Amino acid sequence: MRTYRIHPADTASVEKMIDTFTNAVKAIPLLGGERSESEYRRALALMEFLVDRDDLENPLFELLSAKISDYEKHAPEFLALNQYQEQTPHGVALLRTLMEQYGLKAADLANELGSKSNVSNILNGRRALTVSHIKALSARFKLPANAFIE
């Protein structure tokens, strides 16, 4: 195996790169070791800034996404939400997300799910999505049926 070494003449340049990187890590929210709600909010704001600039190819976007996701998985303030999401069937969680994104109410899905009360029962876990529900939702939202199946 070949060993690579920094040439002594390049030492100052390498040290400058290391210092620059270390300072950047300290300045970027959730990267510098502090895991607080204020750092989390700063990270979200930075993500929003990158999205608004359509700068999704920026390596910072992927790094922040991972750090934000990790924070949301482990922060005490998300414990109840995480437990709720774990208990919610995947299809129902997707349906809720789609309803929010499209600004839909229960009555708007009565054709696909049978009635407004049936939609409510599904969203509240009292009824499960059936095969015919999944087919109808898949057609409405132009998604594969397996998107609604765990």
Side-chain angles (χ1 to χ4, degrees), residues 35-98:
R35 294 179 45 88
S36 65
E37 186 176 348
S38 65
E39 283 291 290
Y40 168 72
R41 293 194 183 287
R42 287 183 58 227
L44 289 176
L46 183 51
M47 284 287 287
E48 188 173 329
F49 179 81
L50 292 171
V51 169
D52 289 346
R53 288 183 50 194
D54 198 23
D55 197 7
L56 306 184
E57 298 300 319
N58 188 316
L60 184 56
F61 184 83
E62 187 174 336
L63 186 58
L64 278 173
S65 293
K67 289 296 190 176
I68 288 169
S69 178
D70 184 61
Y71 181 86
E72 290 173 346
K73 285 180 189 168
H74 299 99
E77 60 264 31
F78 288 100
L79 180 63
L81 175 64
N82 290 336
Q83 289 173 342
Y84 174 76
Q85 286 179 333
E86 288 173 12
Q87 296 168 354
T88 302
H90 177 75
V92 173
L94 175 58
L95 180 58
R96 284 189 180 131
T97 300
L98 291 167

Side-chain angles (χ1 to χ4, degrees), residues 118-130:
N118 204 38
V119 175
S120 178
N121 285 333
I122 290 168
L123 293 173
N124 291 314
R126 293 187 292 271
R127 296 226 27 211
L129 288 170
T130 66

Side-chain angles (χ1 to χ4, degrees), residues 99-116:
M99 289 176 70
E100 183 178 323
Q101 287 179 345
Y102 286 90
L104 301 173
K105 305 285 185 228
D108 298 324
L109 293 171
N111 287 339
E112 289 81 4
L113 302 178
S115 68
K116 180 181 171 182

